[in-house]
Amino acid sequence: MTATAAFIGLGVMGYPMAGHLAKAGLSVRVWNRTTAKAEQWAQEYGGTACSTIAEAVDGVDFVMTCVGADKDLIEVFEGDDGIIANAPEGAILIDHTTASAGVAERLARKSAEHRQGFIDGPVSGGQQGAENGQLTIMCGGDESSFARARPVMDHYARAVNLMGPAGSGQKTKMVNQIAIAGLVQGLSEALHFAEQAGLDAAKVVDVISKGAAQSWQMENRSGTMIAGEFEHGFAVDWMRKDLGICLDEARRIHARLPVTALVDQFYGDVQEMGGNRWDTSSLIQRLRKK
């Protein structure tokens, strides 16, 4: 029997992720606030565009969500027309939004009251990873729900790991964003220094990337940073949202994140420069600004 899935939220990540499910042979229904986007997806992948969330989730085995933030999650999960009230008992609800650990824990409790499984599964890998089916997914939830959900997530991921109970996926994603923030700022300063010192920045990167300075950011973003191209991934606006979640959680658990707090302010400077939709490597433009 063909597994059935609903995908709620067809943004730059959700659209291709849902597509991978359809290409894998699942029967997929989709819902998006912009109806035209859902209809476009259905034409492209052969699934079903639904006019309401209730229609999309009725009777399905799995429900995936990828929306904006906590308030959006509460709206799509908890409303009368929402996921929890309308998905069947036994359905596994998988949320791929980057959100707070608190909202993940809340939704896990509420879905359990309706005998539904819940996995918080924020992703890393950006739009390219979603399109290529090469995402890394960090999951929180119980082992039985994860065991059912993992083969489905494998259709758009290269790595899927259970990190602990509900909320653990979101907390792991926070660790990821904290690490990236510091790395990108360090790489920005290094390249800016090389430029100011009159060095050939590309040649410098070729040399230092062979040693301890090497990182994914250096390998994949240094060239576009040197060229001043910032249309290659995760937007500054989204990073600021994520860092805000990190800093809120840090205050709650009494963790100290001085560098993260500073880089968050630097991204605010990039926004003031008009770089809201530039990718996160655009931190270097703040240093180049005269």
Side-chain angles (χ1 to χ4, degrees):
M1 185 175 176
T2 301
T4 55
F7 209 108
I8 309 301
L10 299 175
V12 295
M13 302 293 287
Y15 193 100
M17 291 165 73
H20 286 295
L21 296 178
K23 287 189 288 186
L26 279 76
S27 176
V28 184
R29 304 176 202 157
V30 296
W31 179 90
N32 193 66
R33 280 198 178 95
T34 306
T35 305
K37 194 73 170 288
E39 292 172 347
Q40 175 188 328
W41 184 94
Q43 289 180 355
E44 184 173 348
Y45 291 105
T48 303
C50 298
S51 58
T52 66
I53 293 173
E55 178 189 355
V57 305
D58 181 36
V60 300
D61 302 307
F62 301 94
V63 180
M64 287 76 170
T65 49
C66 192
V67 295
D70 284 22
K71 63 181 178 60
D72 305 295
L73 280 173
I74 291 169
E75 182 180 333
V76 301
F77 270 91
E78 297 184 13
D80 292 340
D81 181 50
I83 295 166
I84 293 174
N86 294 283
E89 288 187 9
I92 304 297
L93 316 181
I94 307 167
D95 176 43
H96 292 305
T97 309
T98 296
S100 70
V103 80
E105 292 161 357
R106 168 176 167 165
L107 297 178
R109 288 193 302 270
K110 289 183 177 290
S111 58
E113 292 170 3
H114 288 249
R115 297 183 181 180
Q116 298 156 342
F118 179 85
I119 297 291
D120 55 290
V123 302
S124 179
Q127 182 177 351
Q128 184 176 6
E131 291 172 350
N132 295 334
Q134 294 291 304
L135 294 169
T136 295
I137 308 180
M138 309 149 237
C139 298
D142 64 81
E143 292 187 5
S144 61
S145 295
F146 177 75
R148 287 183 59 197
R150 180 172 185 171
V152 180
M153 292 186 281
D154 280 342
H155 292 308
Y156 44 75
R158 63 176 179 178
V160 184
N161 293 282
L162 181 63
M163 308 306 297
S168 299
Q170 296 295 354
K171 291 173 184 175
T172 304
K173 179 62 182 288
M174 294 175 207
V175 174
N176 185 77
Q177 301 305 73
I178 290 164
I180 288 172
L183 284 168
V184 176
Q185 178 62 20
L187 179 57
S188 296
E189 292 184 16
L191 294 177
H192 175 63
F193 180 90
E195 291 170 352
Q196 292 298 105
L199 297 170
D200 182 328
K203 186 178 290 188
V204 169
V205 167
D206 184 58
V207 171
I208 68 172
S209 64
K210 305 296 193 298
Q214 192 276 339
S215 67
W216 185 96
Q217 296 294 336
M218 181 175 289
E219 182 177 341
N220 291 276
R221 290 288 175 263
S222 61
T224 53
M225 290 168 75
I226 292 166
E229 300 172 357
F230 305 110
E231 309 298 330
H232 297 86
F234 198 64
V236 168
D237 280 351
W238 303 338
M239 187 60 158
R240 286 216 79 193
K241 184 209 82 171
D242 289 4
L243 293 182
I245 292 170
C246 296
L247 294 168
D248 285 345
E249 184 69 13
R251 284 187 284 270
R252 192 183 72 80
I253 65 175
H254 307 293
R256 290 182 283 183
L257 304 179
V259 173
T260 303
L262 191 59
V263 175
D264 178 57
Q265 293 177 38
F266 293 164
Y267 277 123
D269 294 340
V270 175
Q271 288 175 318
E272 290 181 4
M273 294 168 60
N276 304 65
R277 306 296 294 182
W278 293 346
D279 68 55
T280 52
S281 69
S282 59
L283 279 175
I284 193 170
Q285 290 301 87
R286 176 184 168 275
L287 301 174
R288 287 170 172 160
K289 185 179 178 182
K290 301 300 183 183

